[in-house]
Amino acid sequence: MDVVRIREAELPVDVDAIGRLWLDYLNWGNDGLDARFGFRLPVQEFVERDLASIERFLPPAGRLLLAFEDGEAVGTAALQSLGTSTAEVKRMWVAPECRRGGIGGDMLDRLISVAEAAGYGSVRLDSPLFMTAAHALYRSRGFMDIAPYPESEIPDRYKSHWVFMERPIP
């Protein structure tokens, strides 16, 4: 069995791996949106914007994780602040060939722990409707469906194709 290691991103060393994983994730998601709903989002713009403002995913208010298998980056997950009491999970992705091994759950658990330690009262996220396996993971960690929240990057005209979730932090 391959050993998976999850660690915080080290910048600037990991920027290329982060950009590649974010682009892989958003292109994969775009293919799903196009196949099911007939639209695509400007993923290259999203990745460029996120890389240009990557500090929002860094401590103390956020976190950026990478998962490595045999030295290759195969997963990523980020946390950013939506204000003093709410954090948001962003760009959670595990390469398809590496799924079902617990990597996503381990990264999500770490982000929830970071949010708790930082004093956030809740964690939110958004995810396309077709990502049902991700929704099951989120629900297993206490996330519940909520109405769309204003800080989400999803354009209003597409929000009906998304699930919005929140998990309180006790």
Side-chain angles (χ1 to χ4, degrees), residues 6 21-22 24-26 28-29 50 57 63-65 74-79 88-95 99 102-112 123-128 131 133-135 137-138 141 143 153:
I6 298 171
L21 288 167
W22 286 352
D24 288 350
Y25 164 59
L26 293 171
W28 176 85
D50 285 352
F57 301 118
R63 201 69 88 227
L64 180 52
L65 304 176
V74 297
T76 184
L79 187 77
E88 183 182 36
V89 173
K90 296 300 294 174
R91 306 295 181 253
M92 179 113 164
W93 166 254
V94 176
R99 292 183 185 156
I103 297 170
D106 289 349
M107 288 193 298
L108 183 59
D109 291 343
R110 285 182 68 168
L111 292 181
I112 292 168
V123 179
R124 292 180 176 171
L125 58 85
D126 58 58
S127 177
M131 293 185 183
H135 304 155
L137 170 63
Y138 301 141
R141 299 311 199 267
F143 283 84
E153 70 182 346

Side-chain angles (χ1 to χ4, degrees), residues 18-167:
I18 294 163
R20 177 183 55 81
L21 288 167
W22 286 352
L23 195 56
D24 288 350
Y25 164 59
L26 293 171
N27 279 325
W28 176 85
N30 238 2
D31 290 345
L33 293 171
D34 192 23
R36 290 163 181 86
F37 309 119
F39 68 87
R40 298 184 76 77
L41 296 173
V43 298
Q44 187 66 43
E45 290 176 29
F46 285 175
V47 171
E48 289 171 8
R49 180 205 61 210
D50 285 352
L51 288 173
S53 62
I54 201 166
E55 64 280 349
R56 69 188 172 152
F57 301 118
L58 301 178
R63 201 69 88 227
L64 180 52
L65 304 176
L66 289 172
F68 290 86
E69 185 175 76
D70 295 330
E72 174 78 16
V74 297
T76 184
L79 187 77
Q80 69 176 357
S81 174
L82 293 181
T84 58
S85 65
T86 306
E88 183 182 36
V89 173
K90 296 300 294 174
R91 306 295 181 253
M92 179 113 164
W93 166 254
V94 176
E97 66 274 11
C98 299
R99 292 183 185 156
R100 298 271 186 227
I103 297 170
D106 289 349
M107 288 193 298
L108 183 59
D109 291 343
R110 285 182 68 168
L111 292 181
I112 292 168
S113 293
V114 165
E116 184 174 12
Y120 290 111
S122 65
V123 179
R124 292 180 176 171
L125 58 85
D126 58 58
S127 177
L129 280 172
F130 72 88
M131 293 185 183
T132 56
H135 304 155
L137 170 63
Y138 301 141
R139 288 185 180 103
S140 78
R141 299 311 199 267
F143 283 84
M144 298 168 284
D145 291 10
I146 61 170
Y149 50 94
E151 303 88 355
S152 172
E153 70 182 346
I154 307 306
D156 287 342
R157 67 185 178 275
Y158 299 131
K159 286 183 178 176
S160 64
H161 303 294
W162 255 257
V163 171
F164 297 86
M165 304 177 104
E166 183 173 62
R167 180 196 192 276

